[in-house]
Amino acid sequence: MADVILSSPSTTAASRPGEGRAANVPSSGLRWDIIELLFFAYRDFVGDADQELEAFGFGRAHHRVLHFVHRYPGLKVADLLDVLRITKQSLGRVLKQLLDEGYIVQKAGSNDRRQRLLFATPKGEALVGKLATLQTERLNRALRGIDPAGLETIRQFLRAMIDRDDPDKVLEAIFGLAPSGPKHKEQT
């Protein structure tokens, strides 16, 4: 693991008397306060699951694949690529390991036998449940004491952070959007 060396990101903020480095909105207009909170919140949110996954020789990519396959049974491999926004090669390595170790099964589509539909096995569902429990406990601790209006504000903020210009099948389901037409992708 690489050493992390912290230095002052801005000598101007640190050199002004009475001003902390984590000012809400610095004069530069950059949202360092929210950016850093998101970094640390994400680090700790996924960190709970990372520790559990390490025992299986899995990483975050395995977690994401298992999560979406469990939540959307019968998800096509092509749709999973869209959701994760990764290459076939990246998914192939992770998916092969999950298939080989019995966390996911792959079935041919009933209408189109060329389709590869993914399903979590009971073993995969158990692991996803364990990881989701860890993350739910962290969320519940963080949300404790926040009223329903505050929770809705958090949901609105998180939805607004998601780029929806090119929604995938999962985002369409989450946002209740009508299925999008054919996507225009660059040919590689």
Side-chain angles (χ1 to χ4, degrees):
M1 178 176 224
D3 291 337
V4 176
I5 301 171
L6 297 176
S7 63
S8 176
S10 168
T11 56
T12 57
S15 64
R16 291 186 204 136
E19 288 189 27
R21 287 179 16 184
N24 282 342
V25 182
S27 60
S28 66
L30 298 175
R31 294 306 313 240
W32 294 116
D33 56 333
I34 302 297
I35 291 169
E36 288 178 356
L37 286 171
L38 283 171
F39 275 128
F40 288 113
Y42 177 75
R43 177 199 66 188
D44 294 345
F45 177 72
V46 298
D48 295 333
D50 286 350
Q51 289 179 342
E52 187 67 35
L53 290 162
E54 194 174 303
F56 297 90
F58 293 162
R60 290 180 184 167
H62 296 85
H63 184 191
R64 287 189 295 268
V65 168
L66 269 172
H67 171 87
F68 287 108
V69 168
H70 169 71
R71 293 281 296 147
Y72 301 91
L75 188 65
K76 291 184 264 182
V77 171
D79 290 337
L80 183 59
L81 286 167
D82 284 343
V83 168
L84 299 176
R85 293 185 179 175
I86 59 174
T87 65
K88 284 182 186 178
Q89 183 178 4
S90 297
L91 177 61
R93 179 187 58 80
V94 170
L95 191 55
K96 181 176 178 357
Q97 187 177 7
L98 292 169
L99 288 163
D100 289 349
E101 295 188 26
Y103 290 91
I104 290 176
V105 294
Q106 183 175 272
K107 299 178 183 177
S110 57
N111 295 336
D112 183 349
R113 306 291 296 163
R114 294 172 298 174
Q115 287 181 333
R116 294 185 297 154
L117 308 178
L118 302 172
F119 299 86
T121 64
K123 184 178 175 180
E125 290 174 354
L127 180 54
V128 170
K130 191 172 194 176
L131 300 174
T133 297
L134 291 170
Q135 292 179 320
T136 297
E137 289 169 354
R138 177 173 294 278
L139 289 169
N140 286 342
R141 285 191 307 270
L143 296 172
R144 193 174 296 130
I146 297 178
D147 63 23
L151 291 173
E152 185 53 34
T153 300
I154 293 167
R155 283 187 201 95
Q156 288 173 4
F157 168 75
L158 292 172
R159 285 183 181 126
M161 288 289 296
I162 297 169
D163 180 6
R164 291 190 282 166
D165 292 340
D166 188 21
D168 53 58
K169 300 272 186 229
V170 172
L171 278 179
E172 288 170 357
I174 291 171
F175 288 105
L177 301 172
S180 60
K183 294 182 181 183
H184 301 286
K185 293 187 177 186
E186 290 183 39
Q187 299 295 328
T188 55

